[in-house]
Amino acid sequence: MRAIIHVDMDAFYASVEQRDNPALKGKPLIVGGHAQRGVVVAASYEVRPFGVRSAMPMARAVKAAPHAIVVKPRFPAYAEASEQVFAIFERYTPLIEPLSLDEAFLDVTASVGLFGAPSDIARRIRKDIADELQLPSSAGIATVKFVAKIASDLAKPNGQREVRAEETVAFLAGLPVSRLWGVGPKTEEALQRAGLKTIGDVSTKDVAWLEQRLGTSGRHLWELAQGIDARDVVPDRAAKSVGAEDTFEEDLVGVEALKPHIHAQALRVARRLRRAGVQGRVVQLKLKLSDFTLLTRRTTLREVTDDGQTLYRAALELLERAHEGKPIRLTGVSVQLDEAPPQLGLFPAAPPRTAKLNAAMDRIAERFGSKAITMADIAGSDAPSDDAHRSERPVDKTPPKR
């Protein structure tokens, strides 16, 4: 019998802002960008009764809660708080699967002998976070990941809920089918048409009946409805790519206007590659037009690299080929990591001429910030620095779809 805890920080970015600025405590707070084109990054619980939610367009959020206080996101502060939260997790188990900066699954099966019952461990973790970081969190405790995630959702804010193995089916039965992982609007509509409105309705149906109507996902949904979820907690899966992207407050037109941003993104990616000790050869450029059309272009370099100028030249070539003169709202540069081990020759190859320069720039950036030394075209632009994007981790933390 496994013991799995899902810990989720409550309104994480907004809670960090309220902690760091006591004047914001208890106030309706929106963390977000441009009032007309940005999105809500986080919404405090005080502003949620007005219908404001994360990922909502800022224009709609401000209209729904005109009295709310709006602050711009401070990603370095959130990244630092996240590192402190995960350090607390590590006191209780090494089996931690991050889903994002502010939530994770913890397998504490082997920790019970040291720290007590799973619910006690969750309580200790939340107390440590509250006492040391002055931040609220919620937790769900169950024998499977799927149920632990739902339990933490229902425990919010600042609470915890345990679902014992023998309680699992009854706990799930009354919940809407939309709570099942993998059920989107179309599947939910199909289930509703079939008379299946709750998870309990799905659990009582014959598997063959579900498979006939839903294909292979029929069995998957039936197993979830029964509380069957064999997936393990997988600690920090290795990244497959490293990237950086920015959404502009105003659309940009023309290659010249985009160059400093592409350059800055290439340098940010290169710094992260060197920091992680990895390299890549497949460079991808991402462009989002003002009408939200998404364009991606990629090229493969002859040699693996972690050099920002090399990445910039490749991305710029892709930009010049892909750009059609239309307004651009977002650009991004990413590098697919090279998984093949380097071939060793009889004599070790000399390091590239840029290696010493990159190492020196990295040391300066680490000590004084990435804006302390940069390229001339970036220095005169408003392209964000790497310091403002510490939350962009080169780790796959995509949560399962629900």
Side-chain angles (χ1 to χ4, degrees):
M1 193 71 69
R2 295 183 300 170
I4 294 175
I5 301 173
H6 177 261
V7 181
D8 196 357
M9 304 301 295
D10 296 331
F12 183 49
Y13 294 177
S15 295
V16 172
E17 295 296 342
Q18 290 176 322
R19 179 198 66 180
D20 293 351
N21 183 356
L24 299 176
K25 286 187 177 180
K27 303 289 180 62
L29 177 66
I30 298 173
V31 181
H34 194 281
Q36 297 304 316
R37 56 177 298 140
V39 297
V40 175
V41 176
S44 71
Y45 282 95
E46 294 84 359
V47 80
R48 294 187 184 190
F50 301 94
V52 179
R53 295 290 185 273
S54 296
M56 175 186 289
M58 281 293 295
R60 184 175 153 201
V62 172
K63 184 177 180 180
H67 62 295
I69 301 170
V70 178
V71 299
K72 289 187 176 181
R74 298 182 301 129
F75 292 109
Y78 312 146
E80 180 181 1
S82 174
E83 295 295 335
Q84 293 168 337
V85 169
F86 276 79
I88 290 174
F89 294 163
E90 290 168 358
R91 299 173 189 172
Y92 296 92
T93 177
L95 300 179
I96 303 165
E97 180 178 346
L99 300 182
S100 64
L101 283 179
D102 61 345
E103 64 175 318
F105 286 113
L106 288 69
D107 188 330
V108 296
T109 308
S111 305
V112 170
L114 290 173
F115 302 109
S119 59
D120 292 333
I121 296 175
R123 196 170 290 109
R124 290 178 64 168
I125 289 172
R126 293 178 52 244
K127 186 177 186 299
D128 288 351
I129 293 172
D131 291 348
E132 299 174 27
L133 308 180
Q134 292 78 53
L135 293 172
S137 62
S138 297
I141 307 102
T143 58
V144 297
K145 293 167 72 174
F146 165 62
V147 178
K149 175 70 170 72
I150 293 179
S152 70
D153 286 346
L154 297 180
K156 284 181 170 293
N158 200 23
Q160 69 178 58
R161 183 162 182 174
E162 181 177 15
V163 181
R164 300 180 186 276
E166 64 272 16
E167 302 168 342
T168 299
V169 175
F171 168 76
L172 295 172
L175 299 175
V177 290
S178 58
R179 283 279 185 179
L180 291 169
W181 279 344
V183 173
K186 289 186 178 179
T187 304
E188 181 181 6
E189 184 180 345
L191 290 170
Q192 296 269 7
R193 284 199 306 268
L196 307 179
K197 297 182 179 181
T198 67
I199 295 179
D201 293 336
V202 176
S203 70
T204 58
K205 278 295 180 182
D206 183 71
V207 176
W209 186 90
L210 290 168
E211 289 180 327
Q212 183 180 5
R213 285 159 178 77
L214 301 173
T216 55
S217 64
R219 175 171 289 277
H220 166 70
L221 296 181
W222 181 85
E223 289 180 348
L224 289 180
Q226 297 288 337
I228 301 171
D229 179 11
R231 293 169 310 136
D232 293 324
V233 170
V234 182
D236 256 6
R237 289 164 289 187
K240 294 184 178 180
S241 65
V242 174
E245 63 181 44
D246 300 297
T247 299
F248 311 128
E249 293 201 354
E250 302 290 342
D251 294 339
L252 298 181
V253 180
V255 172
E256 291 303 317
L258 294 169
K259 274 184 177 181
H261 297 275
I262 300 294
H263 198 172
Q265 289 161 0
L267 294 180
R268 275 159 46 197
V269 170
R271 261 195 297 275
R272 291 173 193 151
L273 290 172
R274 294 193 295 271
R275 193 182 300 149
V278 293
Q279 295 181 317
R281 71 175 74 235
V282 179
V283 181
Q284 177 171 290
L285 175 71
K286 176 179 176 181
L287 301 175
K288 186 179 288 185
L289 307 183
S290 58
D291 62 1
F292 289 88
T293 299
L294 187 64
L295 304 176
T296 58
R297 299 290 186 270
R298 62 173 54 193
T299 186
T300 302
L301 305 176
R302 293 181 61 183
E303 304 289 341
V304 295
T305 187
D306 59 11
D307 176 58
Q309 293 302 104
T310 302
L311 299 182
Y312 171 54
R313 286 192 293 269
L316 181 58
E317 184 178 333
L318 293 173
L319 175 65
E320 290 171 340
R321 294 207 310 255
H323 191 261
E324 300 175 350
K326 297 179 180 179
I328 303 291
R329 64 177 286 118
L330 175 149
T331 63
V333 176
S334 62
V335 174
Q336 182 176 319
L337 302 187
D338 193 77
E339 298 180 357
Q343 293 186 355
L344 301 178
L346 181 60
F347 301 102
R353 294 178 60 187
T354 56
K356 289 185 177 180
L357 175 61
N358 286 333
M361 291 180 66
D362 289 344
R363 287 194 296 270
I364 294 172
E366 286 296 324
R367 185 171 181 182
F368 301 106
S370 59
K371 285 191 173 182
I373 182 168
T374 187
M375 303 299 171
D377 61 330
I378 300 173
S381 75
D382 60 353
S385 69
D386 200 41
D387 300 327
H389 295 80
R390 295 291 188 186
S391 61
E392 295 176 355
R393 293 183 176 182
V395 180
D396 178 11
K397 297 181 176 65
T398 305
K401 291 184 178 179
R402 188 178 71 190

